[in-house]
Amino acid sequence: MKSHYLLVLSLTLSVAWSANTYAQLAIHGDIIYTSAGESIKDGMLVIRDGKISTIGKASEIRVPDGFRTIKAAVVTPGLIDSHCTVGLSGILNYDHDQDQIERSSPVQPQLRALDAYNSHEELVEWVRSFGITTIHTGHAPGELISGQTLVTKTIGNTVDDNLLCESRALAATLASVALKSGASSPGTRGKMMAMLRAELIKAQEYHSKVQAAEASEEQDPPPRDLRLETLSKVLARELPLMITAHRAQDINNALRLAREFNMEVWLDGGAEAYLLVDEIKQAGVPVIVHPTMIRPNGEYENFSFETAATLAKAGIPIALQAGYEAYVPKTRVVLFEAGMAAANGLSFQQALNAITIDAARLLKIDDRVGSLEVGKDGDVALYDGDPFEYTSHCIGVIINGKVVSEIKR
Amino acid sequence: MKFFLLATCIAISCSTALANSPTIAFKNCQLIPIDGPVIENGTLIVSGTKIKAIGKNDETPIPDDAKVIDVSGKVIMPGLVCTHSHIGGPAAGDRSGPIQPGVRVLDSLNILDSGFRRALAGGLTTLNIMPGSGHLSSGQTVYVKLRFGDVMPSTIEDILYVNDEGAPLGGLKMANGTNSMRDAPFPGTRGRSAYLVREQYIRAREYHSKIVDAEGDPAKLPPRDLHLETLIEAMQGKRIVHHHTHRHDDIITVLRLSKEFGFRVVLHHVSEGWKVADEIAAANVPCSMIMIDSPGGKLEARYLRFETGKILEEAGVRTAFHTDDPILDSRYFLRSAAIAVRAGMSREAALDGLTLAGAEMLDLQDQIGSLTPGKDADFIVLNGDPLSIYTKIQETWVGGERVFDRSDPDDRRYAVGGYGTGHDQSPYFCCYDQKQQGGSK
């Protein structure tokens, strides 16, 4: 009885609290890039209770009384980083703040970014101050299967506060960073693929046993196995397998694996993806293209600044990312990477889409974010000029209708 | 100070400056001379390896024998000077000890490294190539001019700056902070780092006293010591110390050592330079900055800010930029200045920091760094504002020769490709140019 009463009270309080925290906002932009069709010159965007309630020509929209109006030269949707390790790979770069890779075993699908993401990490604030409101983050490339990724907004006291998806993809690596030396496995590319196939076949068998137990009262289900459960989701196409691969041969291996197990695969990195345009297109696989300014050594040595443009021209879905950095800068800023892609063959709108709506579609969060449309979350970035231009500034960031950054950066 | 500024030679370029050297006039462009105001509708006249004249179109007569190139809509500025680069595979001091000033980076460089061509695509024409920061002093740096003209350099000698005795010009690399702290015989603390450096400079002073006291008598001269000889050059101001330093207290330590031993120093990286800008200004010491996209990655860079350039400029510190290539790719060097402008540095100081300020930090300002008659004809041709992300470097010229041309498919590979492009040691031969040229996979 008492607990029931408390529950009702707390629900009431939380509703009141959240209503109070929504600043009722209007944003007046010299130009609003909506990522949903035409941009709007002299546009107005109204956010009510955290959601976009109206968008259109400023001359045709009456801002409700009591709403704060913010002006900016350029307004875009809150930006989305399609793949980074922010929140797991901390600013200090000491062992104790580096949770992006677990070295105890090469295949650990059971690891969840959810349990590793530090919502107070300083680099979350850093990327947010450039207009990045949503990140797809998690375990880094570096092990054959390193763990599950999550999607969150770049604000929140705990990881749970603004989670968009607690398990978005399973991160796998088919690149030399996942190779081991000495007697440890995998030591070769052949062994990497053999180990992945063996694990996926084990998961198929596990899944068969689970299904058999569900169908029959006589058969007990197998003991729960968190590794194989996760891989079963991949096999059921519930969980995409994000495969980091740079060399053409590794990309081709990833496509072969996708065919054999009928998985939803995302290519990550893809330094040599331009060599396999037809194959990638035929496979229907999207590419989260490596940061445009990645250091092009090692497996990136045949990279091109123009890969994003080449893939986009061929009609392959792309998104852009900040990726993972082991040293300095500890994180890249996906706004800068998109700008450099726009300066190397992508159109302005293609580059903006690659960090807004196209990224949202890839991450399956486009019902909430990625464009400025009525009903979507009030996530907005404000700039004092072309957002991609070196000397422009992000002057404001809004998440769920709340101003979360007013740093001019 | 001035005496060896004058000594910095023009020797290399003299050899190709033939009497009948061609004169080329670039007309109808915007000229950014750096040492003077921007000139709209300007003409730049190059004769042989040198800049002959610069001015407004109507005030700059073009000689009859000149080849005239109409560069309407383009911008010309001096070739970029990178005060801190690791192109060419530099490796000087080894792991045997923390202070190795006698070791020359010159002896480790690979002229076939594709990084030189990428640097040209980024508009860099002069580099200070440094050994690493894992030592208190990892050795001597070397200043190079990227003479990749019609006659490609075949040895590292072909790209050196030399004095009038033909000796290569360069500085001395030093470092403090965490990079050079490691297991013995390296220092484990900052206190020991400074002590080890002081001890060596004191030995060098004593060594120098013996040489002076010997008054040229071979019997009295001490045995030659290459390490100490180098430190003497530093104390005499003949060899500038290029000092890696990030944290505010490490910066102050460098200033203290510089004062005690009288070596001329350029502070490199200066992540926390903004905290001690007034102290740096009071010491009249220049800074070369690196612009990194986020703070952190190492404890010393945790408080790195885009505003460092603005704050140093306001304090009156002379500032340049560097790539630290491969930390920043040479092809984004213009971007470094633009990011500083984003954070409040003046456009003039930022462009100066890519060119003339850097030249001064290498004692090469009489020869390069601005579009000034008499200086080397090292310049870049851009299709727009140098601080715009959309601008591309169309051409790079060194000593009056075009060394990069974006419209040339071979050169263009170096502007857009990775380390594999044209690399003599590529372990994995592939692909971009083949695909672009319609070759088989």
Side-chain angles (χ1 to χ4, degrees):
Chain A
M1 177 64 192
K2 193 178 172 187
S3 66
H4 179 71
Y5 170 75
L6 279 177
L7 180 64
V8 170
L9 179 67
S10 72
L11 279 175
T12 316
L13 280 175
S14 84
V15 167
W17 178 83
S18 46
N20 280 339
T21 56
Y22 290 128
Q24 308 293 14
L25 273 184
I27 297 157
H28 186 174
D30 294 344
I31 186 159
I32 299 180
Y33 293 103
T34 62
S35 292
E38 294 290 298
S39 52
I40 308 167
K41 278 184 185 155
D42 194 26
M44 185 71 81
L45 173 70
V46 179
I47 306 174
R48 185 186 286 275
D49 298 338
K51 298 278 182 186
I52 297 169
S53 62
T54 317
I55 182 167
K57 283 265 181 206
S59 56
E60 295 163 10
I61 290 174
R62 197 188 74 81
V63 176
D65 293 341
F67 276 50
R68 176 185 173 194
T69 301
I70 303 176
K71 284 207 69 160
V74 177
V75 176
T76 72
L79 307 182
I80 302 170
D81 185 341
S82 294
H83 185 207
C84 64
T85 60
V86 168
L88 284 84
S89 53
I91 189 170
L92 301 181
N93 213 9
Y94 275 22
D95 286 350
H96 62 248
D97 78 340
Q98 299 303 295
D99 281 302
Q100 77 284 355
I101 201 79
E102 167 65 45
R103 293 289 184 196
S104 55
S105 161
V107 179
Q108 303 204 53
Q110 70 275 28
L111 306 187
R112 302 184 301 185
L114 178 70
D115 304 310
Y117 178 78
N118 174 7
S119 51
H120 290 247
E121 164 57 41
E122 289 171 51
L123 293 174
V124 175
E125 184 276 334
W126 179 258
V127 299
R128 186 175 67 225
S129 69
F130 291 99
I132 293 143
T133 54
T134 297
I135 53 175
H136 174 227
T137 187
H139 290 86
E143 294 286 356
L144 199 49
I145 293 183
S146 60
Q148 300 162 47
T149 58
L150 63 76
V151 182
T152 182
K153 297 203 183 173
T154 50
I155 193 81
N157 194 36
T158 74
V159 65
D160 304 306
D161 288 352
N162 281 296
L163 209 51
L164 286 162
C165 182
E166 69 172 48
S167 179
R168 181 62 286 157
L170 182 62
T173 306
L174 286 175
S176 59
V177 283
L179 292 174
K180 312 286 182 192
S181 57
S184 300
S185 290
T188 61
R189 287 185 149 74
K191 190 60 177 269
M192 280 200 285
M193 287 291 281
M195 286 171 71
L196 275 181
R197 295 182 65 232
E199 292 289 342
L200 288 164
I201 288 166
K202 234 188 274 178
Q204 281 176 334
E205 291 167 354
Y206 175 80
H207 187 59
S208 300
K209 282 184 198 163
V210 172
Q211 282 183 318
E214 279 169 3
S216 147
E217 287 181 9
E218 287 153 33
Q219 207 167 329
D220 289 333
R224 276 190 73 183
D225 183 321
L226 295 177
R227 300 168 80 246
L228 298 180
E229 258 180 30
T230 310
L231 291 174
S232 297
K233 288 180 190 163
V234 172
L235 292 168
R237 297 181 70 92
E238 291 166 19
L239 186 64
L241 189 65
M242 177 175 68
I243 303 179
T244 302
H246 307 299
R247 286 190 182 180
Q249 66 187 111
D250 291 325
I251 293 170
N252 196 38
N253 283 353
L255 300 181
R256 189 184 310 115
L257 200 68
R259 282 198 301 273
E260 180 178 354
F261 293 96
N262 188 32
M263 300 176 293
E264 179 180 350
V265 161
W266 303 344
L267 275 176
D268 171 66
E272 294 178 8
Y274 61 82
L275 291 169
L276 294 175
V277 164
D278 296 343
E279 291 80 354
I280 294 168
K281 193 170 182 190
Q282 197 187 345
V285 168
V287 184
I288 305 175
V289 182
H290 60 78
T292 323
M293 291 185 279
I294 196 82
R295 288 184 192 110
N297 51 16
E299 291 200 338
Y300 292 98
E301 69 174 359
N302 298 305
F303 106 136
S304 165
F305 291 145
E306 297 169 331
T307 295
T310 305
L311 299 180
K313 194 176 166 198
I316 294 169
I318 61 157
L320 294 171
Q321 60 168 317
Y324 165 69
E325 286 293 334
Y327 189 44
V328 296
K330 193 55 200 172
T331 186
R332 294 181 181 276
V333 178
V334 77
L335 169 67
F336 297 159
E337 304 302 329
M340 198 55 86
N344 284 281
L346 278 190
S347 70
F348 176 88
Q349 192 61 57
Q350 281 176 320
L352 185 62
N353 287 350
I355 54 173
T356 55
I357 190 62
D358 291 348
R361 285 193 188 115
L362 176 89
L363 298 170
K364 305 178 204 291
I365 50 173
D366 53 311
D367 58 328
R368 292 275 307 274
V369 299
S371 59
L372 299 176
E373 293 177 89
V374 171
K376 285 201 178 184
D377 293 4
D379 294 0
V380 187
L382 313 177
Y383 301 90
D384 60 3
D386 177 349
F388 294 147
E389 194 53 274
Y390 294 141
T391 47
S392 297
H393 305 90
C394 180
I395 55 170
V397 184
I398 293 147
I399 296 180
N400 298 332
K402 192 174 165 186
V403 177
V404 295
S405 173
E406 288 184 278
I407 302 167
K408 182 180 172 185
R409 188 172 271 162
Chain B
M1 173 170 166
K2 284 285 177 195
F3 74 98
F4 76 102
L5 304 186
L6 296 175
T8 48
C9 172
I10 318 160
I12 292 284
S13 11
C14 298
S15 60
T16 46
L18 306 172
N20 59 350
S21 53
T23 297
I24 309 172
F26 299 83
K27 69 169 198 181
N28 297 329
C29 60
Q30 184 192 73
L31 294 165
I32 306 177
I34 301 297
D35 62 351
V38 171
I39 302 166
E40 304 294 343
N41 302 315
T43 296
L44 175 75
I45 298 177
V46 169
S47 181
T49 64
K50 299 288 176 185
I51 293 167
K52 192 174 180 196
I54 173 175
K56 288 190 171 296
N57 280 341
D58 50 8
E59 295 167 6
T60 313
I62 295 172
D64 293 341
D65 62 344
K67 178 184 173 190
V68 179
I69 302 177
D70 189 328
V71 274
S72 299
K74 303 287 196 294
V75 175
I76 291 183
M77 66 178 284
L80 310 183
V81 179
C82 180
T83 46
H84 187 143
S85 176
H86 300 295
I87 287 174
D94 61 12
R95 305 300 335 156
S96 63
I99 302 179
Q100 303 190 37
V103 183
R104 303 184 301 188
V105 79
L106 160 70
D107 300 308
S108 69
L109 295 178
N110 174 10
I111 190 66
L112 300 179
D113 191 298
S114 63
F116 293 115
R117 303 284 300 274
R118 289 194 301 280
L120 286 171
L124 278 60
T125 53
T126 291
L127 313 175
N128 175 24
I129 302 183
M130 306 255 266
S133 55
H135 297 67
L136 297 169
S137 177
S138 55
Q140 298 170 25
T141 81
V142 70
Y143 305 153
V144 302
K145 187 198 277 288
L146 301 182
R147 298 184 187 92
F148 285 69
D150 289 341
V151 180
M152 293 286 273
S154 53
T155 70
I156 199 71
E157 273 71 17
D158 293 337
I159 65 170
L160 299 177
Y161 280 91
V162 296
N163 66 16
D164 46 10
E165 278 102 42
L169 295 176
L172 175 63
K173 175 72 183 280
M174 290 184 65
N176 66 3
T178 56
N179 283 25
S180 40
M181 293 198 290
R182 42 190 81 215
D183 293 342
F186 286 74
T189 61
R190 288 179 159 81
R192 187 166 172 81
S193 298
Y195 152 71
L196 290 172
V197 168
R198 294 185 66 229
E199 189 185 45
Q200 288 304 307
Y201 273 100
I202 289 166
R203 278 191 56 208
R205 264 188 186 157
E206 293 167 353
Y207 174 74
H208 186 241
S209 296
K210 284 184 195 165
I211 294 172
V212 172
D213 292 347
E215 292 178 331
D217 179 352
K220 292 181 185 166
L221 276 174
R224 281 191 68 185
D225 184 318
L226 297 177
H227 290 306
L228 299 181
E229 278 180 11
T230 309
L231 296 182
I232 291 170
E233 288 174 356
M235 286 189 286
Q236 291 177 335
K238 294 176 187 171
R239 185 176 287 282
I240 295 174
V241 172
H242 294 284
H243 210 301
H244 161 114
T245 183
H246 284 279
R247 225 169 68 173
H248 67 98
D249 49 345
D250 290 326
I251 292 170
I252 296 299
T253 298
V254 176
L255 297 180
R256 191 183 304 119
L257 293 172
S258 163
K259 197 173 169 192
E260 179 176 359
F261 297 104
F263 55 75
R264 294 167 60 205
V265 67
V266 177
L267 302 174
H268 287 250
H269 307 323
V270 290
S271 294
E272 293 188 8
W274 58 273
K275 292 185 180 176
V276 288
D278 291 339
E279 288 80 358
I280 297 169
N284 198 23
V285 164
C287 290
S288 178
M289 301 178 290
I290 186 162
M291 302 302 289
I292 298 285
D293 281 9
S294 63
K298 57 188 292 187
L299 213 49
E300 295 177 316
R302 184 180 183 176
Y303 300 105
L304 175 140
R305 297 174 62 185
F306 287 177
E307 290 83 3
T308 299
K310 167 188 193 274
I311 294 168
L312 291 176
E313 181 189 4
E314 284 171 359
V317 178
R318 193 74 194 272
T319 48
F321 299 95
H322 61 261
T323 62
D324 204 1
D325 193 326
I327 297 297
L328 295 181
D329 194 298
S330 292
R331 291 170 292 187
Y332 311 134
F333 196 38
L334 288 167
R335 178 176 185 266
S336 293
I339 296 290
V341 170
R342 180 191 192 110
M345 196 177 193
S346 75
R347 187 184 167 83
E348 292 69 28
L351 292 174
D352 175 62
L354 294 169
T355 54
L356 189 55
E360 286 188 10
M361 292 176 203
L362 309 181
D363 275 346
L364 296 172
Q365 70 274 25
D366 293 343
Q367 196 174 338
I368 58 166
S370 58
L371 300 180
T372 310
K375 284 196 180 182
D376 294 356
D378 299 353
F379 58 92
I380 57 179
V381 182
L382 305 121
N383 63 355
D385 177 1
L387 300 184
S388 168
I389 192 170
Y390 302 110
T391 294
K392 292 280 185 294
I393 294 170
Q394 304 292 309
E395 296 178 9
T396 302
W397 290 65
V398 170
E401 275 196 79
R402 190 167 59 191
V403 291
F404 167 77
D405 177 0
R406 194 177 166 94
S407 69
D408 177 319
D410 186 51
D411 282 3
R412 194 178 185 283
R413 294 181 308 149
Y414 292 96
V416 301
Y419 284 31
T421 310
H423 201 290
D424 69 315
Q425 292 172 337
S426 179
Y428 171 64
F429 180 71
C430 198
C431 338
Y432 190 67
D433 47 324
Q434 293 176 20
K435 186 80 175 180
Q436 292 306 99
Q437 289 162 14
S440 60
K441 288 185 201 170

